Amino acid sequence: VQLQASGGGLVQAGGSLRLSCAASGGTFSNYNMGWFRRAPGKEREFVAAVRRSNTGPRYADSVKGRFTISKSNTKNTVYLQMSSLKPEDTAVYYCAATSNINYAHIANYHYWGQGTQVTVSS
């Protein structure tokens, strides 16, 4: 499956953005989906993930209550709604797909999109 992330940009602290990740070339409803990010000088980290049926959302503690992941199997797209953004959310955000049942673990993801830059100014 091929993944294309979009929706990043520059936003002020406290603002919102919605990231989208469009999938093609596979049966999207078979995959659990995740969002990850890599901040400058840091390792890529887990942000959020959801089961193939758009159930069981999981979040990193740092984004709980601010970010919402959702998956549309009719549109072959996964979204990340980000609110109350902070400067520490600045990173390149990646979407990824896995058929592994342990969908909250970065090591289990096989397919990756190219990333979209999110910059939050203070």
Side-chain angles (χ1 to χ4, degrees):
V1 61
Q2 291 79 48
L3 304 172
Q4 180 76 36
S6 61
L10 174 63
V11 63
Q12 288 189 330
S16 299
L17 277 176
R18 188 176 81 156
L19 305 183
S20 299
C21 174
S24 61
T27 305
F28 186 64
S29 58
N30 287 347
Y31 293 99
N32 304 313
M33 298 297 297
W35 285 98
F36 302 83
R37 67 187 181 187
R38 176 179 283 159
K42 295 188 177 182
E43 297 290 319
R44 192 177 300 191
E45 65 177 4
F46 169 77
V47 174
V50 68
R51 288 197 189 104
R52 62 194 70 188
S53 56
N54 194 34
T55 58
R58 302 280 297 275
Y59 299 96
D61 288 344
S62 58
V63 306
K64 275 181 185 176
R66 301 188 299 122
F67 290 11
T68 302
I69 187 171
S70 60
K71 182 177 189 272
S72 171
N73 287 329
T74 57
K75 296 183 178 180
N76 286 358
T77 302
V78 62
Y79 304 97
L80 185 68
Q81 178 67 49
M82 305 186 294
S83 302
S84 302
L85 282 161
K86 305 175 181 180
E88 50 264 43
D89 294 319
T90 294
V92 177
Y93 283 72
Y94 300 87
C95 59
T98 182
S99 54
N100 195 298
I101 60 172
N102 295 317
Y103 59 97
H105 297 279
I106 188 171
N108 293 332
Y109 280 79
H110 319 299
Y111 305 101
W112 291 85
Q114 86 290 1
T116 185
Q117 176 71 47
V118 172
T119 302
V120 184
S121 63
S122 57

